[in-house]
């Protein structure tokens, strides 16, 4: 339980460790893309942590990184093939950011820092916690960017071929302020993340003051 | 004409860092010093240019005829890793002085999303060989340009008084946001 909590708050991959920002910034224009990307990364992270932790005793120190990258690349290729055949729309929305999960520093970072040193059970838990923290961070960013940037919130659109129905809602009634299309643009992505991190920092430091 | 257009577009309006978010980790993480930013930029330029040629040939002459295009992620990662290793050994033997200044950045490039991203974009955008070369060189120059400008701004920022919770990464991201706004097409129109 503590490992999972650690992944969400203390070592949140996006707000604290600042890892895997490529997909974080590129994908979060829609709420739906955010949680789907989060799920994909979490699955790859858990499985790669599991495999790395199982074989950690047989891998010599000098070839550690290439071996881990190959394992992750294989898992991502499997993910690509699965999405390509079962959820074509999602595959197309993600574009090059799906294969780029391979070089998402979170996964390799966790493999090197945690999974290659700890027991199987603990590394799976760590993968789950970090993955959950990543997903939550993506969902927060996407929520802000989509609601303010296009005045909608998309729960199901490109995965409607699987679930069977669409769910896109309007949030605010017609007005002049919203949508602010700036937030959907790349510049808006940087700004949203910067402000959110500042808020996150302020909350964490505020908490520390009370405990002193 | 088309090639010149593509070249300028890949440096400025379609900049891989600010518009496509590729290579954000080194952009935010390592670019707080002018010198290291230049070193990173140069090594990324070399790796992208060479490995884009190899992966292009690999994709169209081996993967497509044998109908194994789904292996592109795996094989491209392998090419980049080998390339980085090879360049590192070559520089080490030929020019030890250069190795000392570039050496620390080379291993980091294997997991740099900018490299794999450009290689994958070459394929998904279905470029011809010349277009591919132009795009790769343009993108890596764009990367170097942005990372260099950004590092100088950050060096200046370090001496300023920034509110406590904005220190470090948040202010860097907000700076990046303003830069992205300057590079985007909205201002030109």
């Amino acid at each position: 339980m503590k490992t999972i909590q650690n992944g969400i708050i203390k070592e949140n991959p996006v707000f604290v460790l600042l890892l895997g920002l490529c997909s974080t910034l590129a994908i979060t224009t829609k709420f739906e893309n955010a949680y789907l990307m989060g799920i994909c990364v979490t699955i790859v992270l858990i499985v790669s942590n599991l495999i790395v932790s199982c074989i950690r005793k047989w891998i010599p120190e000098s070839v550690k990184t290439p071996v881990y990258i190959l394992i992750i690349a294989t898992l991502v290729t499997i993910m690509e093939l699965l999405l390509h055949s079962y959820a074509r729309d999602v595959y197309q929305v993600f574009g090059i950011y799906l294969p780029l999960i391979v070089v998402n520093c979170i996964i390799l970072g966790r493999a090197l820092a945690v999974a290659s040193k700890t027991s199987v059970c603990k590394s799976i838990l760590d993968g789950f916690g970090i993955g959950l923290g990543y997903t939550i961070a993506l969902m927060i960013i996407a929520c802000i960017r989509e609601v303010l940037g296009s005045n909608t919130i998309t729960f199901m659109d490109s995965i409607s071929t699987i679930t069977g129905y669409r769910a896109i809602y309007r949030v605010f009634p017609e007005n002049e302020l919203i949508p602010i299309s700036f937030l959907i643009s790349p510049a808006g992505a940087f700004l949203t993340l910067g402000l959110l991190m500042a808020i996150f920092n302020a909350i964490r430091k505020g908490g520390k003051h009370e405990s002193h | 004409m088309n090639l010149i257009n593509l070249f300028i577009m890949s440096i400025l309006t379609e900049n891989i860092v600010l518009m496509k978010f590729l290579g954000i980790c080194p952009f935010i993480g390592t670019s707080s010093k002018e010198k290291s930013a230049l070193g990173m930029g140069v090594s990324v330029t070399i790796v992208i240019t060479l490995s884009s040629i190899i992966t292009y040939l690999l994709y169209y002459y081996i993967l497509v005829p044998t109908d194994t295009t789904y292996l592109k992620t795996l094989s491209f990662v392998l090419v980049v890793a080998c390339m980085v290793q090879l360049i590192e050994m070559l520089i080490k033997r030929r020019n030890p002085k250069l190795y000392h200044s570039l050496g620390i950045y080379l291993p980091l490039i294997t997991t740099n999303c900018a490299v794999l991203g450009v290689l994958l974009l070459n394929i998904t955008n279905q470029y011809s060989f010349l277009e591919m070369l132009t795009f790769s060189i343009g993108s890596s120059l764009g990367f170097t340009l942005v990372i260099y400008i950004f590092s100088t701004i950050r060096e200046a920022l370090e001496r300023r008084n920034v509110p406590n919770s904005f220190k470090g990464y948040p202010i860097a991201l907000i700076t990046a946001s303003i830069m992205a706004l300057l590079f985007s097409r909205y201002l030109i129109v």
Side-chain angles (χ1 to χ4, degrees):
Chain A
M1 199 60 221
K2 221 174 174 186
T3 330
I4 295 175
Q5 209 181 10
N6 186 33
I8 298 173
I9 298 167
K10 216 166 148 198
E11 286 192 23
N12 188 299
V14 177
F15 293 135
V16 182
L17 302 180
L18 222 85
L19 294 174
L21 289 186
C22 296
S23 44
T24 309
L25 294 170
I27 280 301
T28 52
T29 49
K30 272 188 183 168
F31 187 71
E32 180 202 29
N33 299 345
Y35 72 76
L36 286 177
M37 180 53 103
I39 293 170
C40 288
V41 170
T42 309
I43 295 172
V44 174
L45 191 56
I46 293 175
V47 179
S48 86
N49 265 6
L50 167 74
I51 296 174
V52 166
S53 168
C54 285
I55 59 168
R56 70 182 189 278
K57 279 171 192 142
W58 294 291
I59 304 292
E61 194 70 26
S62 52
V63 291
K64 240 161 112 181
T65 318
V67 171
Y68 295 166
I69 290 179
L70 269 189
I71 293 171
I72 298 166
T74 315
L75 291 173
V76 172
T77 306
I78 295 170
M79 195 62 134
E80 265 183 274
L81 288 174
L82 282 175
L83 282 185
H84 186 73
S85 49
Y86 291 108
R88 189 68 66 91
D89 293 334
V90 180
Y91 179 82
Q92 261 149 13
V93 167
F94 283 171
I96 64 158
Y97 296 101
L98 185 63
L100 281 180
I101 296 178
V102 179
V103 283
N104 190 326
C105 337
I106 300 173
I107 300 172
L108 186 66
R110 284 338 261 188
L112 285 170
V114 177
S116 61
K117 287 177 194 131
T118 45
S119 65
V120 178
C121 200
K122 251 194 183 154
S123 7
I124 292 176
L125 270 183
D126 178 79
F128 183 72
I130 293 282
L132 202 64
Y134 183 71
T135 313
I136 290 173
L138 282 194
M139 277 158 68
I140 296 173
I141 300 168
C143 207
I144 294 173
R145 281 185 73 194
E146 202 195 347
V147 168
L148 296 180
S150 52
N151 197 8
T152 52
I153 186 149
T154 315
F155 289 107
M156 282 171 217
D157 181 24
S158 48
I159 58 163
S160 57
T161 43
I162 299 176
T163 54
Y165 59 95
R166 293 162 151 241
I168 307 173
Y169 301 107
R170 279 189 86 83
V171 184
F172 297 108
E174 199 76 33
N175 60 23
E176 280 169 2
L177 272 176
I178 293 168
I180 314 162
S181 54
F182 165 73
L183 283 175
I184 294 292
S185 77
F190 285 114
L191 187 72
T192 316
L193 183 61
L195 291 178
L196 275 176
M197 263 169 85
I199 295 169
F200 203 79
N201 271 352
I203 293 171
R204 275 199 319 156
K205 276 174 194 151
K208 248 180 221 165
H209 269 293
E210 280 168 14
S211 63
H212 269 297
Chain B
M1 191 56 216
N2 209 1
L3 285 182
I4 298 170
N5 228 344
L6 183 69
F7 188 66
I8 294 171
M9 203 181 79
S10 59
I11 295 181
L12 298 174
T13 52
E14 293 282 309
N15 188 290
I16 47 169
V17 181
L18 294 173
M19 296 298 141
K20 300 214 178 78
F21 311 111
L22 302 172
I24 294 284
C25 295
F27 177 65
I28 303 281
T30 63
S31 72
S32 53
K33 285 215 181 81
E34 216 178 303
K35 224 178 183 174
S36 60
L38 262 187
M40 191 75 188
V42 171
S43 10
V44 164
T45 309
I46 298 170
V47 174
I48 287 186
T49 315
L50 289 179
S51 55
S52 67
I53 297 171
I54 295 178
T55 50
Y56 189 85
L57 296 176
L58 181 78
Y59 186 78
Y60 285 106
Y61 291 98
I62 296 177
L63 294 186
V64 171
T66 52
D67 204 18
T68 48
T69 46
Y70 60 86
L71 284 177
K72 70 170 190 280
T73 315
L74 201 62
S75 53
F76 285 12
V77 169
L78 263 182
V79 168
V80 175
C82 294
M83 202 75 223
V84 169
Q85 202 64 221
L86 208 72
I87 291 175
E88 202 181 340
M89 282 186 332
L90 264 179
I91 295 180
K92 202 175 185 177
R93 187 163 300 169
R94 287 285 157 83
N95 195 341
K97 215 174 170 189
L98 186 67
Y99 178 75
H100 274 291
S101 52
L102 285 187
I104 23 169
Y105 309 110
L106 278 170
L108 291 176
I109 292 176
T110 318
T111 53
N112 185 337
C113 8
V115 179
L116 192 64
V118 170
L119 301 181
L120 290 168
L121 279 174
N122 280 335
I123 302 300
T124 45
N125 290 354
Q126 297 180 321
Y127 286 138
S128 69
F129 187 77
L130 271 181
E131 283 172 334
M132 179 279 292
L133 212 56
T134 320
F135 180 74
S136 306
I137 295 173
S139 301
S140 40
L141 286 182
F143 177 83
T144 316
L145 176 76
V146 165
I147 208 172
Y148 180 71
I149 297 175
F150 192 62
S151 71
T152 52
I153 296 176
R154 278 187 78 182
E155 257 180 39
L157 262 180
E158 264 168 27
R159 280 178 246 123
R160 297 282 190 285
N161 256 334
V162 178
N164 235 341
S165 40
F166 276 93
K167 255 186 194 135
Y169 296 134
I171 194 74
L173 281 165
I174 289 166
T175 317
S177 160
I178 297 168
M179 273 181 78
L181 205 60
L182 289 174
F183 272 70
S184 70
R185 242 175 284 189
Y186 300 110
L187 283 183
I188 298 167
V189 173

